[in-house]
Every structure is written in C-alpha cells, then in structure tokens.
Amino acid sequence: LGCFCMKTLFYYNVSLFSVSLRVTVEGVIGGFVVLPCSSKKTQLTVNWRYGDRLIVYAIIKGKVSVEGQDPKYKNRAESFPEEYLRGNFSLKLSDLQHTDAGKYQCYIIEESDIQTVELRIKVGTEKQISETEFVWSHDGLLLQQSPLFFLFVFVMHIFIKVSAFAVFFD
C-alpha cells in the first residue's frame, strides 16, 4: 500500500461571478494521493488535466475514458466509479514521481466549473495510512475517519458559493 499524506491546505478565491476552491495535497515518492473533485450533479463529463494541457483522465457521462491520456499517467490514474452517482469525481494518482508535482484541474464540462488541486511531492516518508482507514461519506467526499476535515471544507465551499450568489443578486 502506498502513502497518503493528509496535510492539505485550502485557499478560497471569491469573485462576483464565481467561487473556486483551490486545494493543495502533499504526497511522497512512490505513494499515492487522492485529488478531490465533486459536484452536486451526477452523470457529468469530467476532464482531469495537468497544467492546462496534459490529459490525465476523463469521465464521460459516467464512463471512464483513457482516449488521449498522456502515457505518463497510464495505469497510475484511476477514479471511483461507484461514487459518480454521489457527485464524487476524485482522482487517485499512484506511484508518485517528482514530475507529478504541479497543478491539476478537474473541469466539469456541464457546469463550466474548474476545481484546481496543487500536488506537492515531499522527499522522505510521511505517516503511512492504508486505504482501509478511509471511508466515503454519504455526500461522496473522501473522509479520514478522524478528523472530518474534508467535510468541513466541502461545507465551507458551498457556503461561499451561496454567499457570493447572494451578494451578486443583493
């Protein structure tokens, strides 16, 4: 089993027309990370890209597509199809390499929504966490059993979207 580092930083960018959540995830060489991406809707087309250009992974109306996938992600990128109906389009990236560091974008086509995740690669080992220590919440977010940090971030993300919408129409 690989490493998954739970040290995650969150930044909020708020403008009159959009609210975006930028997440920073840290991993270690040879380990794995889960890059979060979620929506209230299901059966969407979602494109994961690295640096605005390389195709990492695609989900087309609930079906995985590796057509056009950059070879460096072959057999290392996967999603959680059982979670699509909950609006969870997170991406698991395994066998991390130094060259994986950078900004990933989860582009939800139907919503014109781009969720940015910055991946930082650390040298050395972090706390070892097996996949069995994680559970999926009822709303499709990946949660560590303690603390429920991702749930907090999701709620804040929704709150900021609603607040920005209210300010715009106030």
Side-chain angles (χ1 to χ4, degrees):
L1 295 174
C3 259
F4 179 74
C5 180
M6 284 304 295
K7 184 177 181 185
T8 307
L9 307 171
F10 296 87
Y11 303 92
Y12 293 96
N13 298 323
V14 181
S15 70
L16 285 178
F17 298 102
S18 68
V19 176
S20 63
L21 173 67
R22 189 178 79 207
V23 179
T24 299
V25 176
E26 293 180 348
V28 296
I29 299 296
F32 73 92
V33 291
V34 176
L35 307 178
C37 179
S38 63
S39 171
K40 288 185 177 183
K41 297 180 182 176
T42 61
Q43 295 299 314
L44 300 172
T45 298
V46 177
N47 289 320
W48 274 97
R49 295 189 180 272
Y50 174 80
D52 281 337
R53 62 186 189 286
L54 296 180
I55 298 173
V56 177
Y57 202 79
I59 302 163
I60 301 171
K61 303 287 186 196
K63 305 281 187 206
V64 172
S65 173
V66 292
E67 185 176 327
Q69 181 183 44
D70 188 274
K72 91 178 222 175
Y73 297 104
K74 185 177 181 179
N75 298 320
R76 295 192 317 121
E78 63 182 293
S79 60
F80 306 92
E82 66 280 4
E83 291 298 316
Y84 297 165
L85 292 176
R86 293 185 178 120
N88 183 348
F89 302 100
S90 299
L91 181 74
K92 179 180 176 184
L93 188 58
S94 302
D95 191 23
L96 293 175
Q97 305 163 11
H98 281 293
T99 56
D100 291 329
K103 291 185 181 171
Y104 290 80
Q105 293 182 328
C106 172
Y107 180 38
I108 302 174
I109 305 294
E110 290 84 351
E111 296 179 351
S112 298
D113 181 32
I114 298 174
Q115 298 175 29
T116 302
V117 182
E118 183 175 351
L119 175 58
R120 295 182 184 167
I121 303 296
K122 295 274 191 174
V123 177
T125 60
E126 297 286 336
K127 178 183 174 189
Q128 296 285 326
I129 302 174
S130 71
E131 288 183 74
T132 58
E133 290 184 55
F134 293 90
V135 295
W136 293 105
S137 72
H138 69 281
D139 57 4
L141 288 176
L142 179 66
L143 303 175
Q144 186 178 9
Q145 290 176 354
S146 177
L148 299 177
F149 194 63
F150 280 106
L151 182 59
F152 168 76
V153 171
F154 181 74
V155 169
M156 290 304 298
H157 179 67
I158 298 304
F159 174 76
I160 288 173
K161 277 190 172 185
V162 169
S163 297
F165 183 78
V167 168
F168 180 71
F169 287 104
D170 196 18

